[in-house]
Amino acid sequence: MGPPTTILSLPNELLVAIAASGQHDHGPHTPVTSRSEWILSHLCRRFRDTIIAAPALWTNISISLSISWKKLQDRQQYEEILRLYLRRSIPLTVSVSLRIVVFFLAGVVELFTKWLHQIAPEMERVRSLSVDLGLEADDMGLALAPLRHLAAPNLVSLNITNHNTSSLLRCPFELFSSGTPKLSSVQLNGLLPFPIPSWMSSSSLTHLEVRAGQKDLIGDDTALLSSIVMRPIALVHLHLDLTGVVSTAPTDPQFRIPSLQSLSIHINENHNQLHLAFILDLFDCPVLTELAIAGSHGDQIFYLFQLLVPSVPRSTFPVLRSLSFIYEYAEGCSCREDTFLGSRIDHSNGTLLFPALSSLSLVGQCFTARLVKEILGAQALPWPHLKTLTLSPIKSISDVRKALQDAVQRSPLPIPKLRLGQALFFLEDWQDGRVDVEVFDPEEILKPFRKSCSW
């Protein structure tokens, strides 16, 4: 029997593979000292030489400084770590995540700009850049200044988050004025560079998300839409928080985005029953297949399907397959039953609006029981292709369950597959062989619309 095998006897290639496999367990803000490549490079001289000589192990650069004045004073440590990762990853492209979770302490902007000054000479190697800060609007522009006049020829993804709830969210700043020819995904959380700058005008941009963060946007969101659609971009996915002032006059122009396939909108939940219809009237998206709207109410959905105002909407969504209406607050809305009109939904209007609809989700909506009666009642279904109905009400649970059971028992037509929140799901209630039922977690629909930011 030969000598026992130890980690010291492993070949160099296997050591590198072990370090690489350990990286899969790293979270977005895992401390550097807990990362597999860092630990193995500090065990012995042989390990150090092997790990440092493998550039692929150093391409995911994540520097995270949490709330600690002592750590802020030790900023040279973070600068050195960033320098080491940049040097050891040569010549490969890198993903960079920079995060400073420090509020109202002097030196934060200075520290962050020093980090960016290190990255600037290597910007041609950066494929993904994530910036996570908590600054005033003016300070955000100063912190990002080192990137202002650069080119980023290989940048594919850009994510900028500002957690400062006191910030003026409209924050004009310019980045990468020399071009981002491959930029395809931009996510902005808690701030908005307005007017839309050139770095958001790349012809390769297909994915754009603009989120308000922890409070509503300030100003006219119609102007935001106008500035987006006027750019020479071919968006496929768009997420917008339209929680500011939105002009919804019937004479307003529609915003045509002919390439858009997926649209998520967060609207202001404090508007009247017609607000949802007016918002949809702003969009002309002929190839849209997925539409999700947060902040909507059950009475707004009812009015949308009734089409009480003949000019709303002016266009249809001819190939839309998935439609979700979401109200994400656990306490529920304040809508009252006596404000809900007793007239029935015009099913033909539902067909005209979304003729190809196959999946409908109602999450957290008031009047869900009434909507279920209209959609699954004895009359003809408004959408002949509807295959899945997803429901997760947060009040009137028993009324919704009864409406579903009545529909299952009495409707002469096939019942769509039911995806039900846990409160509605009791297996003994769904033994009828005519219907396919499964339980689902509403969080999978709610998560993209969560307004609060977690540190």
Side-chain angles (χ1 to χ4, degrees):
M1 179 180 293
T5 301
T6 67
I7 190 172
L8 294 175
S9 64
L10 295 177
N12 292 347
E13 295 80 6
L14 189 53
L15 286 176
V16 173
I18 291 172
S21 64
Q23 291 179 330
H24 297 305
D25 298 327
H26 298 162
H29 309 303
T30 300
V32 169
T33 53
S34 300
R35 297 174 67 91
S36 57
E37 70 275 7
W38 190 266
I39 294 173
L40 289 175
S41 69
H42 284 74
L43 288 181
C44 66
R45 184 56 180 261
R46 178 191 162 220
F47 280 23
R48 179 178 178 82
D49 291 343
T50 301
I51 300 301
I52 290 178
L57 297 177
W58 304 92
T59 57
N60 292 316
I61 306 172
S62 179
I63 308 297
S64 178
L65 174 58
S66 61
I67 300 176
S68 169
W69 175 246
K70 181 180 182 299
K71 286 188 176 182
L72 188 60
Q73 290 179 315
D74 294 339
R75 54 184 175 268
Q76 289 184 349
Q77 171 191 355
Y78 295 91
E79 295 173 20
E80 178 64 13
I81 291 172
L82 180 58
R83 184 185 66 81
L84 289 175
Y85 269 80
L86 287 170
R87 184 181 66 189
R88 293 172 181 177
S89 61
I90 294 174
L92 303 179
T93 58
V94 296
S95 295
V96 180
S97 174
L98 304 178
R99 180 174 181 261
I100 300 184
V101 190
V102 180
F103 288 102
F104 312 119
L105 291 177
V108 174
V109 174
E110 177 189 2
L111 171 60
F112 191 78
T113 54
K114 285 187 176 181
W115 290 0
L116 289 186
H117 278 302
Q118 288 193 66
I119 293 171
E122 305 291 337
M123 199 62 218
E124 65 178 15
R125 293 199 295 123
V126 177
R127 65 176 180 270
S128 173
L129 177 62
S130 177
V131 173
D132 207 339
L133 293 168
L135 299 174
E136 297 288 343
D138 292 341
D139 288 338
M140 179 66 77
L142 292 174
L144 297 173
L147 304 179
R148 186 172 299 160
H149 301 298
L150 298 180
N154 289 299
L155 187 66
V156 174
S157 174
L158 178 65
N159 186 334
I160 304 176
T161 297
N162 186 20
H163 294 273
N164 190 343
T165 57
S166 65
S167 172
L168 294 174
L169 293 172
R170 299 209 179 266
C171 175
F173 58 86
E174 185 63 65
L175 301 175
F176 309 122
S177 61
S178 295
T180 53
K182 296 182 180 179
L183 186 63
S184 62
S185 176
V186 172
Q187 298 182 49
L188 303 177
N189 303 283
L191 80 164
L192 172 65
F194 189 81
I196 298 298
S198 60
W199 54 271
M200 286 176 58
S201 303
S202 171
S203 59
S204 59
L205 186 63
T206 59
H207 186 291
L208 176 61
E209 299 186 20
V210 181
R211 301 175 183 270
Q214 294 188 3
K215 67 177 186 178
D216 293 342
L217 287 169
I218 302 170
D220 185 356
D221 288 337
T222 310
L224 166 64
L225 274 171
S226 297
S227 60
I228 290 175
V229 299
M230 288 178 62
R231 299 291 183 174
I233 55 181
L235 287 176
V236 175
H237 172 81
L238 176 63
H239 178 110
L240 288 177
D241 282 3
L242 296 178
T243 52
V245 178
V246 179
S247 176
T248 54
T251 57
D252 287 340
Q254 287 184 301
F255 299 100
R256 181 172 175 80
I257 314 178
S259 57
L260 197 65
Q261 298 178 20
S262 174
L263 174 62
S264 301
I265 313 170
H266 196 152
I267 66 175
N268 193 317
E269 60 271 4
N270 297 319
H271 283 286
N272 62 22
Q273 294 95 331
L274 292 178
H275 184 65
L276 174 61
F278 281 132
I279 289 291
L280 289 184
D281 194 33
L282 293 174
F283 293 92
D284 181 8
C285 306
V287 299
L288 194 70
T289 59
E290 297 181 13
L291 174 60
I293 304 171
S296 57
H297 295 262
D299 56 350
Q300 294 176 335
I301 299 169
F302 194 90
Y303 274 92
L304 174 68
F305 294 160
Q306 280 185 311
L307 291 180
L308 297 181
V309 179
S311 61
V312 179
R314 292 167 289 182
S315 63
T316 64
F317 299 89
V319 297
L320 189 76
R321 295 194 297 269
S322 175
L323 177 62
S324 300
F325 295 110
I326 302 157
Y327 192 84
E328 73 272 35
Y329 297 102
E331 66 273 15
C333 68
S334 58
C335 294
R336 294 165 34 183
E337 289 286 345
D338 58 9
T339 65
F340 189 58
L341 294 183
S343 56
R344 302 185 64 85
I345 290 177
D346 184 340
H347 289 168
S348 63
N349 284 339
T351 304
L352 292 173
L353 272 173
F354 313 109
L357 192 67
S358 61
S359 175
L360 175 64
S361 299
L362 304 174
V363 177
Q365 296 296 332
C366 53
F367 312 121
T368 298
R370 179 63 185 275
L371 289 166
V372 167
K373 291 178 182 178
E374 295 291 339
I375 295 168
L376 300 180
Q379 298 184 14
L381 286 171
W383 302 287
H385 305 291
L386 188 65
K387 302 299 182 184
T388 304
L389 178 62
T390 300
L391 302 174
S392 181
I394 54 179
K395 57 183 181 180
S396 303
I397 304 296
S398 59
D399 291 339
V400 176
R401 184 181 294 113
K402 185 177 185 304
L404 281 171
Q405 292 170 338
D406 288 346
V408 169
Q409 294 171 4
R410 299 179 183 181
S411 176
L413 299 173
I415 301 296
K417 177 180 179 179
L418 299 178
R419 300 179 70 238
L420 306 179
Q422 186 65 50
L424 289 173
F425 191 82
F426 293 98
L427 185 60
E428 60 271 17
D429 292 339
W430 310 108
Q431 299 297 329
D432 191 315
R434 298 177 56 222
V435 61
D436 182 9
V437 182
E438 71 175 36
V439 64
F440 88 107
D441 183 1
E443 186 63 22
E444 68 182 67
I445 296 178
L446 290 171
K447 187 175 181 179
F449 291 96
R450 294 297 189 192
K451 297 181 71 174
S452 60
C453 298
S454 173
W455 285 100

